[in-house]
Amino acid sequence: MSLFLAELKLTLRSRIAAAALFLLFLLAALAVWSGISLSDRQNAAIERVQAAHAQDLAAVARVYGQPDGDAGYGAYYTFYLTWDRPSPLAFAAIGQRDIQPFTLRVRTLGLHSQLYESENINAELALPGPFDWAFVLIYLAPLAVLVLLHDLVAGEREAGRLRLLLSLPGARGLWARRLGARYLLVLAALALPLVLGLMLTQAPLTLGAGSLLVAALYLAFWSGLGLLVAALVRSSGGGAATLLGCWIVLTLVAPTLATSAINSAIPAARGTDLSLAQREIVHAAWDKPKEETFDAFFVNHPEWRDTPPVTGRFHWKWYYAFHQVGDEAVAPQVAEYRASLAARERWTERVGWLLPTVSTQVLLHRLADTDLQAHLAYQDSIAALHRRIRYFYYPYVFEERPFTAADFERLPDYQPRPSGGSLAWGSLIALGLAALALLALSLRRAHRVEMVQPTATSRPGRGFLSKPAFT
Amino acid sequence: MSGATVRIAREEWRWLARSRVALVAGVLLLLLIITATFTSVQKHEAIDEARARYQSEQIEQFYNQPDRHPHRMVHYGQYVFRPLAPLAFFDTGVDAYTGNMVFLEGHRQNSANFAEARQSSLMLRFGQLTPAFVLQTLAPLLIIFLAFRALAGERERGTLRLMLAQGISARQIVSGKLIAHAAVAGAIVLPALLALTIMSASSGASAQALLIILGYCAYLIVWTLMALVLSALVPRARDALLALVALWMVTVVLLPRGLPELVAASQTLPTRIETEVAIGRDLKAIGDSHDPDDPYFNDFKMEVLARYGVSDVQDLPVQYAGLVAMEGERLTSDLFNRYAADANAREDRQNALVRTFGLASPLIAVRQLSMTLAGTDLDNHQDFLSQVESYRYSFVQHLNRMQAEQIPAVNPGEDPRIDASNWLEVPGFAYVAPNPLAYAGGRIAQSFGILAAWLAGLACLLILAARRLERIAR
Amino acid sequence: MKSETADAVLEARHLRHSYGARRVLDDLSLRVGAGEIYALLGGNGAGKSTTLNIFLGFVRPGSGSASVCGIDPSTAPDEARAALAYVPESVALYDHLSAYENIDYFLHLAGANRHRTSVIDPALDDVGLVASARGQRVGGFSKGMRQKVAIALALARNVPVLLLDEPTSGLDPRATAEFNDLLEAARKRGIATLMATHDLLSAAAVADRIGFLREGHLDEEVAANGGARFDVDALFRRYSERRESRTA
């Protein structure tokens, strides 16, 4: 153990290694700070929106909450606010939270003409991607590993220490110890700021531990790769270039190629289709016999079948019925749309089985609950609210009961979805296997470093006899 | 240019041609650019075709609506799809992040929906495979890989001393290497140049294409100079590589991500809901058309009665409700425009801040340049939204006027409608793609200025580094 | 010839080894006893390095065997290495550590867990590294000083075998003389020393026996002869001839 400490100290005394580690620590700390600031901003925005919405709601209640108030108007003018707070771990992996809406208002009209509204974002700011801990882990930490490991063996060889080191009896575990020391240093530089952030945001222990586990495995993968390359290459320059090549492929080239392939193979145009189709159905209802609308509506809502029939040109019950029929009619398109998004997620996870960068991204954002799946869960919670408000108004509208100020007090509340961070087991196993396989392979290869020493030390030509001048 | 300089450049090419790593890396990048170009062009055509099809289908549907009350048509509304700029294949810019479908209806302003980034897995955030991505992000790495040894390697091997001893000046050596690697940078841009030339020829965006090429040439030469400066300053080739990669990391990956975060923290954008609520409040403050005692609408009524020379609403030759709808639409649209202008100004301030900080990273300058010229920057999207809003206003007012003029003011019946042929009189949305050279000339000049400053600064540094090389190698 | 009869600490028996078609060792046998200094003299490619590599356990001999204190390095390299100290041709150390810290670290690597501090200073005393230099970073050390540090490491490890690879190449005359004194110190401690060298003069100055290695074969062994030790001129004449016959 104390030998391990000696390796830790030795690494830290190298100026370039210490600089790389410090920089990584600094950037991770900055990223954590920046992530927390974004979470705070979103929470503050939610509070602002809640305040604005409360005012708006009060104004609506004043106008439509009369003793003889018509529920149809109340429902039409009353918006319901939904919001999706960042999970306690969101600061570490912001994911799509910078481009997905986190507040949305819905009312009793057709859900699918309201659900896909987007938020005001500055797209140019969103374009490069968020600066968060996950970014530091996925992109920058491998580069720190590269700096620390690329010349692990070649550096000793180039400095001329390799044979001396290998002649010592304890040399067998040398590479493993050095790898371990450097691995732990990189992990510590990343983990420390994260742990601080976790304490600040009081994230559940399991989520924090999960993200540390992911970081540990991801770094183990890169460390294994680093040692393997270090044990194989002849020069430190070659080691740096090879590892950099791996980094470029794994973080830049392969994921972009895969995204391009997935998004062309699985188009998500159904979103547009369902919007267009729903509008047609809803607006055609104005010109159709009301019975048609009601027949369709009563299929799923038989409890209102026996309410008074509509005789005039307009009645709110008919209006809300055809909005609901519009939603129900596009259910197949909605399902297809959701299926296409799910398929994109599924294929991304499969790509992650091959690319540790992608599986790490999948894992972290699933834990932080900030991925597409999280947004779909938010949409589901909006749909649940929409259903509850419909059923809240239906008795008033169908039974033509007055909707008064007292009823405004009884509006259904939005139930925010529970924070849904979870562990993507498939990706975790894939990442773990990749890390283990590379570590095992690289350690085996590193063991053979000592056996491959003999003729590499060719010396510059020299005479057989060197006759010193002083004789 | 002396013979020695040319000879040194030729030797550098020979060395690159014989180095397997350089060859493999070069060929891989070339393949990547070609793949990016092809897939991007294909995708561009598919998206363009789909949006055009949707657009024509939806206007067809609008024109085929039956006899209706015009107000029904105001809410039947129109869908508008954003057409892609002809050069968007080269740099998709913010297109994946901004919605491309807007639903237009009366007195509501809906958002642009179904942005690709919102429907994709997070993997999209690793980047999108376009020629611009390859040239901005990966090409500098290739240049670094090929050039980091150029001077540090000669120094390490001792061949630099040998050359200097033979009377070749460090300046000749450095210029030779610069010519060699600048030519490599040119070779990297070549496939993109071809694609841009072919694609821009049919669309009349040749000037933009030319400027894009110019910008990327400048950008890659900035990297060539950077590589040579560091290769001249650092005694060991490996250290030059590490230093250059660190620089690349900071300017290409770190700053472009970190700066927006800082800027976003310093300048908040109001959410849609806040804006909606604020607009609703402002509208109410102006007047309430349903309130018979409302001063604003009483004035409006007086003004209308005076205009038509009658004393009672019943005597108007037009439907008063239609006139009120038109006035209401005018008021809301004014507010929409005011709030949109405010939001745009905030976004512009944010982006301007990034651009100013962007002096520290040539990537930010070239990215801005490329997006602007390709017609995929945020301003272009904002312009699209403002064209959409003014179209929304005109089409809604068209229908409101039909209501005022064709629906009888008295005894209209229970279900008044007008003839379906009226819908054909509503013009369709005609998007006029703005010319970046006209609306963003200043910004384009600013980006070129930043790139030129980098070029000039690095050229000076390279001259100084060459002098130093001569001093220390002797 | 007391070492001939004493137990050999370091022994090679009929070593043969080839790299591909090239034979580098051809039936090499040698023995080095405790307190003895054996110089293996030969030119480039004579097989000196391979011999050292076999003792170090870096190379497994094609046939024949080697032993370090009775341990075969090809089957138990760690145990063999525990019994020997190796000083490479150009001693490279961690430049950012001091002489003292370098020895401490290498000692630690070699498995010494406790009492390292108590052995380092005496070892540095023995090799004559001045006290003022011990705390300095070795980045600025000359080759001779680095060699002193490496030998101090060997002494501090208190092992019975010392393997030296071209120890005098690149040393100036004064450093060479100091190095010779160092070997005397090792001899006094009863260490068996095997030095591979192409430097006849330095071999003659310190060795008890000199083995002439040519094309992987031990041509001849000459033992020191009392106070006059070796007749250097005779050796020199003989090996000039040998060299000519080889190059002819």
Side-chain angles (χ1 to χ4, degrees):
Chain A
M1 190 59 212
S2 72
L3 191 51
F4 189 76
L5 285 179
E7 292 295 354
L8 280 179
K9 264 195 274 182
L10 188 73
T11 307
L12 283 175
R13 289 191 63 168
S14 148
R15 219 176 301 160
I16 185 159
L21 285 167
F22 180 68
L23 200 66
L24 185 68
F25 169 78
L26 206 69
L27 288 170
L30 262 176
V32 164
W33 171 79
S34 146
I36 290 179
S37 126
L38 184 117
S39 277
D40 287 349
R41 282 207 305 280
Q42 295 203 339
N43 275 321
I46 289 173
E47 260 125 55
R48 285 201 319 269
V49 169
Q50 283 173 337
H53 172 74
Q55 282 182 3
D56 192 48
L57 185 62
V60 171
R62 263 198 309 281
V63 176
Y64 298 101
Q66 307 297 333
D68 60 341
D70 185 335
Y73 283 104
Y76 187 83
Y77 286 105
T78 306
F79 281 96
Y80 288 77
L81 180 64
T82 71
W83 59 88
D84 192 35
R85 287 192 183 276
S87 81
L89 194 60
F91 76 89
I94 292 162
Q96 291 193 337
R97 286 201 64 93
D98 59 338
I99 51 173
Q100 300 284 19
F102 52 89
T103 57
L104 193 83
R105 295 199 301 176
V106 287
R107 46 181 173 161
T108 325
L109 311 188
L111 174 67
H112 291 288
S113 59
Q114 309 178 68
L115 194 56
Y116 308 105
E117 283 287 286
S118 46
E119 186 49 85
N120 284 336
I121 60 155
N122 184 340
E124 262 183 45
L125 293 191
L127 190 55
F131 177 68
D132 55 8
W133 186 80
F135 161 72
V136 175
L137 172 70
I138 293 172
Y139 283 81
L140 305 187
L143 291 174
V145 172
L146 179 153
V147 169
L148 290 175
L149 290 183
H150 76 281
D151 62 346
L152 192 70
V153 178
E156 296 294 345
R157 189 181 294 136
E158 281 161 12
R161 291 183 297 256
L162 189 62
R163 286 174 63 83
L164 178 59
L165 276 173
L166 293 180
S167 78
L168 297 172
R172 221 158 244 287
L174 179 69
W175 308 123
R177 274 197 307 273
R178 290 200 165 169
L179 179 76
R182 288 162 201 218
Y183 167 76
L184 280 187
L185 285 170
V186 176
L187 188 58
L190 277 170
L192 237 55
L194 181 72
V195 169
L196 272 176
L198 290 170
M199 279 165 21
L200 277 174
T201 58
Q202 295 174 334
L205 214 60
T206 46
L207 293 183
S211 38
L212 284 174
L213 174 69
V214 172
L217 288 178
Y218 181 63
L219 284 179
F221 164 80
W222 277 103
S223 301
L225 188 62
L227 179 61
L228 185 66
V229 170
L232 286 174
V233 293
R234 218 154 317 136
S235 70
S236 54
T242 311
L243 278 173
L244 202 60
C246 295
W247 183 84
I248 294 166
V249 169
L250 286 175
T251 60
L252 297 175
V253 178
T256 39
L257 278 170
T259 307
S260 175
I262 290 178
N263 283 13
S264 332
I266 310 166
R270 279 301 186 194
T272 307
D273 293 341
L274 79 88
S275 302
L276 296 176
Q278 198 218 22
R279 171 183 71 159
E280 288 311 314
I281 295 159
V282 166
H283 284 271
W286 287 93
D287 304 310
K288 279 198 301 194
K290 295 190 175 57
E291 294 72 43
E292 270 183 43
T293 297
F294 278 119
D295 285 347
F297 179 77
F298 291 147
V299 170
N300 289 318
H301 306 80
E303 62 271 35
W304 309 114
R305 195 183 284 279
D306 299 327
T307 51
V310 173
T311 47
R313 164 75 187 127
F314 181 86
H315 194 286
W316 282 113
K317 67 168 83 170
W318 167 66
Y319 182 79
Y320 292 121
F322 71 66
H323 270 275
Q324 175 57 21
V325 168
D327 271 355
E328 287 173 9
V330 295
Q333 282 102 317
V334 171
E336 273 182 61
Y337 178 59
R338 290 290 286 251
S340 65
L341 302 194
R344 285 178 168 193
E345 287 279 282
R346 206 165 45 245
W347 277 101
T348 300
E349 232 180 296
R350 287 182 191 158
V351 168
W353 296 347
L354 297 177
L355 300 178
T357 41
V358 174
S359 60
T360 302
Q361 191 197 41
V362 167
L363 276 161
L364 282 179
H365 293 89
R366 191 79 288 285
L367 276 173
D369 201 26
T370 52
D371 52 1
L372 182 58
Q373 211 176 314
H375 186 68
L376 295 179
Y378 174 46
Q379 288 190 342
D380 288 342
S381 80
I382 300 173
L385 172 73
H386 185 260
R387 190 183 156 79
R388 284 176 51 229
I389 54 183
R390 280 196 298 116
Y391 281 99
F392 172 72
Y393 285 113
Y394 283 165
Y396 295 98
V397 175
F398 280 90
E399 291 162 9
E400 300 178 21
R401 295 199 327 230
F403 197 80
T404 62
D407 294 307
F408 267 98
E409 299 294 315
R410 298 179 33 244
L411 300 185
D413 277 329
Y414 172 61
Q415 314 255 290
R417 72 196 176 95
S419 207
S422 61
L423 204 54
W425 283 103
S427 302
L428 188 75
I429 290 168
L431 181 62
L433 282 180
L436 271 180
L438 261 177
L439 273 182
L441 191 69
S442 66
L443 282 172
R444 249 186 62 182
R445 193 65 193 70
H447 261 310
R448 281 168 53 201
V449 163
E450 52 188 291
M451 302 306 291
V452 198
Q453 283 319 300
T455 47
T457 53
S458 64
R459 304 207 179 84
R462 209 185 281 125
F464 178 44
L465 292 165
S466 63
K467 208 171 174 188
F470 65 96
T471 47
Chain B
M1 199 184 301
S2 71
T5 306
V6 176
R7 187 59 220 253
I8 286 165
R10 270 175 47 204
E11 276 312 308
E12 193 74 5
W13 286 324
R14 181 149 74 174
W15 178 79
L16 288 175
R18 287 190 181 175
S19 150
R20 224 182 29 208
V21 179
L23 218 59
V24 169
V27 168
L28 279 183
L29 190 88
L30 211 66
L31 280 178
L32 211 59
I33 291 192
I34 293 170
T35 317
T37 309
F38 271 108
T39 55
S40 204
V41 166
Q42 252 175 358
K43 209 161 130 203
H44 181 271
E45 280 168 356
I47 291 176
D48 223 20
E49 188 270 324
R51 291 186 192 171
R53 181 166 44 80
Y54 277 128
Q55 189 67 76
S56 69
E57 272 173 21
Q58 90 81 32
I59 194 72
E60 194 82 349
Q61 278 171 336
F62 183 86
Y63 289 151
N64 283 329
Q65 289 304 302
D67 295 357
R68 269 193 183 153
H69 191 290
H71 194 67
R72 287 266 48 76
M73 289 303 278
V74 163
H75 286 288
Y76 177 78
Q78 290 217 29
Y79 277 95
V80 160
F81 295 83
R82 184 183 171 180
L84 275 178
L87 297 185
F89 83 94
F90 185 81
D91 187 342
T92 50
V94 298
D95 186 67
Y97 291 81
T98 53
N100 47 61
M101 182 190 91
V102 192
F103 178 54
L104 313 182
E105 59 180 322
H107 40 264
R108 264 187 76 76
Q109 195 174 39
N110 297 304
S111 62
N113 294 349
F114 298 114
E116 182 73 347
R118 289 187 49 201
Q119 314 184 102
S120 298
S121 75
L122 269 163
M123 196 163 55
L124 183 107
R125 308 302 287 274
F126 277 107
Q128 287 168 280
L129 190 67
T130 59
F133 170 78
V134 179
L135 287 178
Q136 288 171 10
T137 312
L138 300 178
L141 277 173
L142 180 71
I143 289 175
I144 289 172
F145 263 130
L146 300 186
F148 77 94
R149 280 195 196 88
L151 295 161
E154 301 271 3
R155 207 165 135 194
E156 224 171 15
R157 280 197 304 269
T159 41
L160 186 69
R161 268 171 77 88
L162 214 58
M163 284 198 265
L164 291 174
Q166 286 171 351
I168 302 167
S169 71
R171 185 173 250 181
Q172 282 172 312
I173 298 171
V174 169
S175 350
K177 303 274 183 184
L178 179 61
I179 291 168
H181 289 283
V184 171
I188 296 172
V189 181
L190 207 62
L193 175 83
L194 281 176
L196 272 175
T197 317
I198 295 167
M199 294 291 288
S200 65
S202 55
S203 62
S206 324
Q208 285 96 303
L210 195 74
L211 287 173
I212 289 181
I213 292 293
L214 206 65
Y216 279 102
C217 281
Y219 174 68
L220 293 185
I221 288 176
V222 162
W223 277 105
T224 310
L225 285 169
M226 201 118 79
L228 289 179
V229 165
L230 271 162
S231 187
L233 289 177
V234 173
R236 285 194 302 173
R238 186 204 52 167
D239 295 348
L241 177 64
L242 287 181
L244 280 165
V245 170
L247 250 174
W248 175 85
M249 193 69 228
V250 170
T251 52
V252 175
V253 181
L254 206 55
L255 283 178
R257 271 191 191 240
L259 287 179
E261 213 55 59
L262 279 178
V263 166
S266 71
Q267 177 91 232
T268 43
L269 292 179
T271 57
R272 275 191 76 77
I273 296 176
E274 285 171 280
T275 309
E276 274 174 23
V277 170
I279 288 176
R281 212 173 33 227
D282 287 359
L283 210 54
K284 231 169 246 153
I286 295 173
D288 179 359
S289 59
H290 295 299
D291 180 358
D293 299 326
D294 185 82
Y296 182 87
F297 279 96
N298 275 339
D299 286 355
F300 174 72
K301 188 158 63 175
M302 289 304 139
E303 192 257 329
V304 167
L305 292 178
R307 185 162 11 117
Y308 286 96
V310 293
S311 57
D312 195 282
V313 172
Q314 302 284 321
D315 304 331
L316 283 171
V318 291
Q319 193 208 39
Y320 180 65
L323 295 183
V324 169
M326 286 178 78
E327 177 64 6
E329 199 61 48
R330 191 183 67 76
L331 294 174
T332 42
S333 189
D334 272 355
L335 286 172
F336 288 154
N337 288 337
R338 188 143 31 96
Y339 277 87
D342 180 57
N344 287 352
R346 279 171 199 258
E347 289 181 351
D348 288 346
R349 273 202 297 279
Q350 289 183 331
N351 294 340
L353 217 53
V354 172
R355 266 177 239 130
T356 314
F357 283 128
L359 269 172
S361 161
L363 172 86
I364 293 178
V366 82
R367 194 184 60 189
Q368 191 62 51
L369 190 69
S370 164
M371 274 195 298
T372 305
L373 288 166
T376 53
D377 65 347
L378 189 68
D379 285 61
N380 209 300
H381 181 68
Q382 287 173 350
D383 175 81
F384 166 74
L385 290 181
S386 91
Q387 285 192 40
V388 164
E389 172 54 26
S390 66
Y391 173 71
R392 186 194 72 80
Y393 180 66
S394 86
F395 116 84
V396 170
Q397 292 299 56
H398 238 97
L399 292 167
N400 282 338
R401 185 167 297 116
M402 287 175 191
Q403 177 184 344
E405 290 171 356
Q406 299 185 37
I407 301 287
V410 279
N411 298 330
E414 195 195 29
D415 186 10
R417 294 174 185 241
I418 64 170
D419 193 76
S421 64
N422 279 293
W423 314 147
L424 291 170
E425 284 167 31
V426 177
F429 176 59
Y431 176 63
V432 184
N435 181 359
L437 299 178
Y439 80 89
R443 255 201 345 266
I444 293 169
Q446 184 196 7
S447 299
F448 270 115
I450 292 175
L451 287 174
W454 272 88
L455 281 176
L458 284 168
C460 290
L461 268 180
L462 190 61
I463 291 170
L464 290 178
R467 277 197 203 143
R468 179 171 169 274
L469 213 52
E470 203 152 313
R471 256 199 333 271
I472 53 174
R474 279 222 168 110
Chain C
M1 294 287 125
K2 70 174 188 342
S3 57
E4 288 282 310
T5 53
D7 278 349
V9 179
L10 207 58
E11 185 172 9
R13 286 179 295 269
H14 310 294
L15 289 179
R16 286 173 208 275
H17 194 70
S18 311
Y19 292 122
R22 194 166 67 88
R23 165 143 294 190
V24 283
L25 286 184
D26 186 13
D27 197 23
L28 175 93
S29 297
L30 63 82
R31 296 159 63 88
V32 189
E36 189 183 17
I37 299 175
Y38 189 108
L40 197 55
L41 196 66
N44 295 327
K48 300 185 308 262
S49 294
T50 306
T51 310
L52 287 186
N53 280 335
I54 289 173
F55 280 122
L56 282 164
F58 290 165
V59 169
R60 195 184 289 267
S63 72
S65 67
S67 84
V68 179
C69 296
I71 304 158
D72 186 346
S74 67
T75 55
D78 262 7
E79 287 83 344
R81 286 173 200 158
L84 61 81
Y86 167 69
V87 179
E89 176 180 358
S90 59
V91 177
L93 302 162
Y94 289 96
D95 286 353
H96 59 282
L97 301 182
S98 70
Y100 188 93
E101 287 167 333
N102 262 296
I103 295 181
D104 183 60
Y105 175 65
F106 281 109
L107 266 183
H108 205 156
L109 275 186
N113 278 324
R114 264 180 283 271
H115 311 304
R116 291 197 301 276
T117 45
S118 61
V119 294
I120 298 174
D121 270 319
L124 284 168
D125 288 341
D126 281 1
V127 298
L129 191 74
V130 289
S132 61
R134 293 179 191 179
Q136 283 174 16
R137 295 191 174 192
V138 300
F141 278 22
S142 67
K143 181 177 173 181
M145 286 166 88
R146 287 160 179 270
Q147 204 169 48
K148 281 182 181 174
V149 175
I151 292 177
L153 169 66
L155 296 181
R157 282 182 57 204
N158 201 17
V159 286
V161 174
L162 185 58
L163 299 179
L164 302 168
D165 198 356
E166 301 287 0
T168 54
S169 78
L171 290 190
D172 66 23
R174 204 179 119 194
T176 307
E178 281 180 358
F179 168 74
N180 294 346
D181 294 344
L182 278 179
L183 284 196
E184 286 302 324
R187 191 211 305 277
K188 282 201 192 89
R189 292 198 179 197
I191 295 174
T193 305
L194 174 66
M195 62 186 267
T197 183
H198 60 258
D199 181 353
L200 172 65
L201 290 176
S202 98
V206 292
D208 296 313
R209 277 186 296 148
I210 300 177
F212 292 90
L213 191 61
R214 195 169 68 97
E215 287 170 4
H217 187 74
L218 207 55
D219 268 9
E220 187 180 357
E221 255 183 36
V222 184
N225 188 8
R229 300 183 58 81
F230 296 98
D231 179 351
V232 175
D233 283 343
L235 286 179
F236 188 76
R237 261 197 312 281
R238 206 146 73 226
Y239 283 90
S240 300
E241 285 160 20
R242 210 183 279 283
R243 185 182 172 212
E244 275 151 27
S245 73
R246 196 172 62 142
T247 47

